Amino acid sequence: MVIGIVGLGLIGGSLAKASKKYGDYTVYAYDIQETSLHKALEDGAIDDQLTEKNISECDYIFISLYPKAVIEFVEKHAALFQKDSVIIDCAGVKRSVCEPCFRIADQHGFTFIGGHPMAGTQFSGYEHAKDTMFWNAPFVLTPKQNEDVLVLAQAREVIISLGFGRVSVMTPERHDKLIAFTSQLAHVVSNAYVKSPSAPERKGISAGSYKDLTRVAYLNETMWAELFLDNRDHLTAEIDHLITELQKYSEAMKTNDFETLRELLKEGKMAKEQAD
């Protein structure tokens, strides 16, 4: 089986390394940065560069680019994909990517499935890619309505072979609603929290809580700005809800209301227990 990978950053690079370590695959890859391509070849993470001449050999192609770039790549190369190939993107939002790519795929006779590998770090670039990045991690697929179940089953097998522990299937809409809470809100909160004027003075009096809450403040601002805006309806709803909840805590403390504050804290603890 031949796998193509577009984009050799943290996610694409890790997919390439996992494909060679855990699967019996021929791997072609493309990246705009030639240094990443050369390093991947040296590492044995890929067999050759992905080109317009060999792209038709690929059974599966994983596109690890920003959302708009995914659409541009699919549109530009649609006529070159083999007809029974499966194209899976790895962008962090699905509605803005899937709608145009489903349409392009239908027009050209290949299969496009939205995808989201639920793993990563605060760092980016091929130099941080690891073959163990996705070990036991979830992968979300967002296929078009009434997609062939056999196609989905085969895609799941390929994904599991790369080290993922679970593959979930949902609509692009449901993915974007949930990801606004589980990932995007956490990045917004972390990024805003560390802007406190107290942050530079925290050395010597910060431990696990500070590290946990600020880890994802260190982000790729260009990519995350695009993701946030593509999902702004769901994300702003989550932000507004959080602001409302924080105002309750603030008001209880400003009025020295012990009972209300204790109840708010109890509610949060119970919500965590129920969520888990």
Side-chain angles (χ1 to χ4, degrees):
M1 181 179 289
V2 180
I3 288 181
I5 295 175
V6 182
L8 282 172
L10 177 70
I11 299 302
S14 296
L15 286 171
K17 291 182 176 183
S19 296
K20 295 305 292 182
K21 181 170 182 177
Y22 304 115
D24 185 20
Y25 303 124
T26 297
V27 180
Y28 300 146
Y30 170 79
D31 194 277
I32 196 171
Q33 300 289 339
E34 290 190 5
T35 53
S36 296
L37 273 172
H38 293 157
K39 189 65 171 66
L41 284 165
E42 291 175 5
D43 292 345
I46 65 175
D47 295 288
D48 204 349
Q49 181 174 351
L50 180 68
T51 68
E52 292 189 353
K53 291 184 178 180
N54 63 22
I55 196 170
S56 62
E57 300 175 23
C58 297
D59 301 291
Y60 284 83
I61 297 177
F62 292 91
I63 306 177
S64 183
L65 301 173
Y66 297 176
K68 290 183 178 63
V70 171
I71 300 167
E72 291 170 1
F73 185 89
V74 171
E75 193 167 34
K76 180 178 179 180
H77 297 88
L80 301 177
F81 301 141
Q82 61 169 282
K83 297 305 180 183
D84 56 352
S85 63
V86 176
I87 315 301
I88 301 174
D89 86 288
C90 297
V93 290
K94 297 275 71 83
R95 288 176 298 169
S96 61
V97 172
C98 287
E99 183 178 350
C101 288
F102 287 157
R103 185 172 62 252
I104 296 168
D106 286 343
Q107 291 170 352
H108 290 84
F110 59 88
T111 298
F112 180 89
I113 304 175
H116 191 176
M118 302 301 297
T121 72
Q122 67 269 41
F123 303 108
S124 60
Y126 178 80
E127 62 271 24
H128 298 289
K130 300 185 295 184
D131 55 32
T132 57
M133 179 70 68
F134 309 117
W135 194 250
N136 286 328
F139 195 107
V140 179
L141 289 175
T142 60
K144 69 178 182 181
Q145 191 173 10
N146 300 320
E147 182 58 85
D148 188 333
V149 292
L150 181 58
V151 170
L152 290 175
Q154 292 171 339
R156 179 187 180 279
E157 288 183 9
V158 172
I159 291 166
I160 291 295
S161 75
L162 302 182
F164 288 91
R166 182 174 72 256
V167 177
S168 300
V169 178
M170 62 186 66
T171 65
E173 168 68 31
R174 179 167 173 76
H175 169 278
D176 286 1
K177 184 178 186 301
L178 293 177
I179 209 68
F181 171 70
T182 62
S183 175
Q184 294 180 343
L185 181 63
H187 283 77
V188 170
V189 171
S190 180
N191 196 265
Y193 168 81
V194 81
K195 292 177 183 177
S196 168
S198 300
E201 304 174 21
R202 58 91 190 169
K203 289 184 179 180
I205 195 168
S206 61
S209 297
Y210 173 85
K211 292 178 181 178
D212 290 345
L213 191 49
T214 60
R215 181 181 68 82
V216 293
Y218 190 88
L219 45 69
N220 179 327
E221 65 274 13
T222 302
M223 180 185 75
W224 283 100
E226 185 174 336
L227 294 174
F228 290 165
L229 290 176
D230 278 355
N231 203 30
R232 59 188 177 275
D233 53 346
H234 291 310
L235 181 53
T236 54
E238 292 290 349
I239 292 172
D240 290 346
H241 179 267
L242 178 61
I243 290 171
T244 299
E245 289 299 314
L246 287 174
Q247 287 174 334
K248 295 177 183 178
Y249 290 81
S250 178
E251 184 63 26
M253 284 181 268
K254 287 176 180 177
T255 57
N256 199 30
D257 188 341
F258 178 87
E259 290 302 326
T260 296
L261 180 58
R262 183 171 65 174
E263 187 60 29
L264 288 169
L265 294 170
K266 182 180 178 181
E267 289 173 358
K269 181 177 71 174
M270 293 177 64
K272 167 64 174 173
E273 291 175 350
Q274 291 171 1
D276 289 347

